[in-house]
Amino acid sequence: MPVSAPGPVVPAAGPSDGGLTLLVIEDDPAGSLSMPELADMTVVAGKPVRIRTARNLTEAERLLTHDVQCILLDLALPAGDPAGGDPDAPRDELETLRRVLRLAPRHAVLALTSENDAERAAEAVRVGAQDYLFRDELDGRVLSRAIRYAVERKRADLAQRQLTESRLRAQENARLERGLLPHPLLAGSGLRFAARYRPGRSRALLGGDFYDTVRTPDGTVHAMIGDVCGHGPDEAALGAELRIAWRALTLAGLHGAELLGVLQEVLEHERADEEIFATLCTLDIAPDGHSAALHLAGHPAPLLARPGEPPCLLPQDDGGPALGLLPSARWPRLEVALGDAWSLLMYTDGLIEGRVGGPEGGARRLGQEGMIEMIARQMKEGLSGEELLDAAVTEVRALNGEELTDDLAVLLLDRLGG
């Protein structure tokens, strides 16, 4: 299921007065960083500057509070810890910088070195510092400008990293969700298949609706469509589990009420809340294609259309309850005559519960009667298969004011006869 997102990357907050705090890490209190110019540097970009000094990484970690935005690190700082020794003393020249970057991944870091060490200064930037400064050129004006640029560059880097991670998560979620959508197994059936799917969640590919079709070795075509109540990622995950379980049980030889009973057990074990339920409609179409067994578990009945006849709903008065509502539920088997040539439209309530007349249309829904009239008109216009489903979904969205808040799944099976 969709991959979980880490917490947002937030740069360190500044002081309440809008100023900036600079943490200087250098081991010589009487060294170049104690120059009067540094002490007099009290404003950067019109904001007050606070300066803290640390002689080693132990002190730096203690002083690295939430209000520090920039770190000025002397690359000449000894690798070990002068306060007591470091058993894991770094071995390369920039290990101290690497430790600072690990210690403060969200802070801007300026590297300070001598002009004769330009190569190491450039390497410091490649390792992760925002910029470098030479001691011989250091004064309040240069340092103020460097701090300002480093902080802004770090903020831009963090924003770009967060955007990249967000895109990668979205791509991974899309791959996962596409992999959970069904691939019909109808080879040899002679039936045409079409489906449309629109989750109600914004930017999602998978919702709580689910469907599938498979043909078993005896020639029977089994079709299913269902709807888990709710619209979140948990409902989408449960819908995918029920679909996969249905296919596995169907290919293993279960069908009808026995299969629905096992699916109810799966739902009861996997749902996050005892109030979660799922509606389901299953059709077992005979090998000759002339009849089918229908089971309804709280789901609207499919629409049957035959040449020369107006579309009509299959029987739905004798269906059983939705899965997850009653422990000892029964789902009667309904025998349906299909004929030689026909079209069967299976759908979830997202197709029929959209409002008519857009947001200003009040509480009136399209309903099953409105759907029948719409499909009859579109079929009379010569639409079928993929074109029929596209037209139906487009019209339902237009009647509702373009946006559907509920998940929508539609499955169409056609038998041309002969």
Side-chain angles (χ1 to χ4, degrees):
M1 294 312 302
V3 180
S4 59
V9 177
V10 181
S16 58
D17 59 5
L20 182 147
T21 300
L22 173 70
L23 176 60
V24 179
I25 308 176
E26 55 100 11
D27 69 332
D28 183 6
S32 59
L33 296 184
S34 300
M35 64 176 65
E37 291 87 346
L38 181 58
D40 293 338
M41 190 197 69
T42 58
V43 177
V44 172
K47 298 179 180 180
V49 177
R50 296 169 175 83
I51 299 175
R52 299 177 185 170
T53 58
R55 292 176 298 173
N56 51 60
L57 296 187
T58 300
E59 289 186 9
E61 185 172 6
R62 179 174 55 82
L63 296 174
L64 191 62
T65 54
H66 71 281
D67 58 332
V68 174
Q69 292 82 44
C70 188
I71 298 172
L72 180 62
L73 173 66
D74 185 1
L75 293 183
L77 185 73
D81 187 347
D86 185 352
D88 300 318
R91 298 179 180 178
D92 67 81
E93 293 182 338
L94 293 177
E95 181 60 22
T96 301
L97 172 62
R98 300 180 200 275
R99 291 174 59 186
V100 169
L101 294 174
R102 288 195 296 268
L103 182 66
R106 299 178 181 178
H107 294 73
V109 176
L110 289 169
L112 183 68
T113 188
S114 66
E115 191 172 359
N116 297 329
D117 207 3
E119 185 175 342
R120 184 165 65 155
E123 181 64 21
V125 174
R126 287 191 289 269
V127 167
Q130 273 58 61
D131 205 346
Y132 63 84
L133 295 168
F134 293 133
R135 286 191 187 88
D136 297 339
E137 300 176 354
L138 188 64
D139 59 30
R141 182 181 59 84
V142 171
L143 183 57
S144 296
R145 183 176 59 188
I147 292 172
R148 184 170 69 251
Y149 288 170
V151 169
E152 292 302 320
R153 189 177 298 118
K154 185 64 177 182
R155 184 177 291 117
D157 289 345
L158 291 173
Q160 181 60 43
R161 182 183 306 173
Q162 185 174 356
L163 177 61
T164 300
E165 291 175 353
S166 177
R167 287 174 176 170
L168 291 175
R169 288 195 301 272
Q171 292 171 2
E172 183 64 18
N173 287 342
R175 284 194 294 269
L176 288 171
E177 292 181 329
R178 279 195 298 269
L180 291 173
L181 291 173
H183 300 279
L185 302 178
L186 293 175
S189 68
L191 300 181
R192 294 193 312 178
F193 169 89
R196 288 295 180 270
Y197 194 99
R198 293 186 64 87
R201 289 185 296 139
S202 175
R203 295 187 297 276
L205 294 179
L206 195 66
D209 291 2
F210 54 98
Y211 66 88
D212 206 351
T213 53
V214 298
R215 180 175 183 262
T216 47
D218 65 354
T220 303
V221 171
H222 306 268
M224 171 271 290
I225 194 164
D227 181 2
V228 177
C229 68
H231 311 293
D234 289 339
E235 288 76 13
L238 182 56
E241 290 181 81
L242 291 174
R243 182 194 71 78
I244 294 169
W246 177 88
R247 174 175 284 202
L249 293 169
T250 299
L251 294 176
L254 270 68
H255 55 83
E258 183 181 11
L259 186 151
L260 290 174
V262 177
L263 284 181
Q264 175 157 280
E265 291 185 30
V266 172
L267 182 145
E268 291 171 346
H269 287 295
E270 298 297 329
R271 62 187 175 184
D273 189 289
E274 291 187 357
E275 296 184 358
I276 297 295
F277 63 89
T279 65
L280 199 68
C281 168
T282 68
L283 272 173
D284 303 315
I285 303 171
D288 63 7
H290 290 174
S291 63
L294 171 67
H295 289 83
L296 295 175
H299 201 87
L303 181 70
L304 173 63
R306 290 182 285 219
E309 300 179 16
C312 63
L313 294 176
L314 295 183
Q316 59 184 3
D317 294 337
D318 296 326
L323 304 182
L325 292 182
L326 299 176
S328 303
R330 297 178 63 253
W331 298 278
R333 174 188 174 101
L334 306 173
E335 295 292 341
V336 179
L338 300 177
D340 186 45
W342 45 263
S343 296
L344 272 170
L345 183 75
M346 306 173 71
Y347 53 92
T348 59
D349 57 11
L351 184 69
I352 59 177
E353 291 193 350
R355 299 183 185 277
V356 177
E360 307 301 327
R364 189 163 70 93
R365 307 281 186 177
L366 176 65
Q368 289 178 299
E369 292 183 1
M371 177 198 66
I372 294 173
E373 294 175 2
M374 178 185 69
I375 296 298
R377 171 172 42 81
Q378 291 172 344
M379 295 184 76
K380 191 174 181 179
E381 295 171 356
L383 299 180
S384 63
E386 305 277 353
E387 291 183 347
L388 176 62
L389 296 190
D390 285 338
V393 173
T394 299
E395 184 167 338
V396 167
R397 293 180 64 236
L399 290 172
N400 190 64
E402 296 297 335
E403 294 300 330
L404 295 171
T405 57
D406 197 4
D407 301 329
L408 181 153
V410 192
L411 185 157
L412 181 64
L413 291 172
D414 294 309
R415 187 176 191 271
L416 302 180

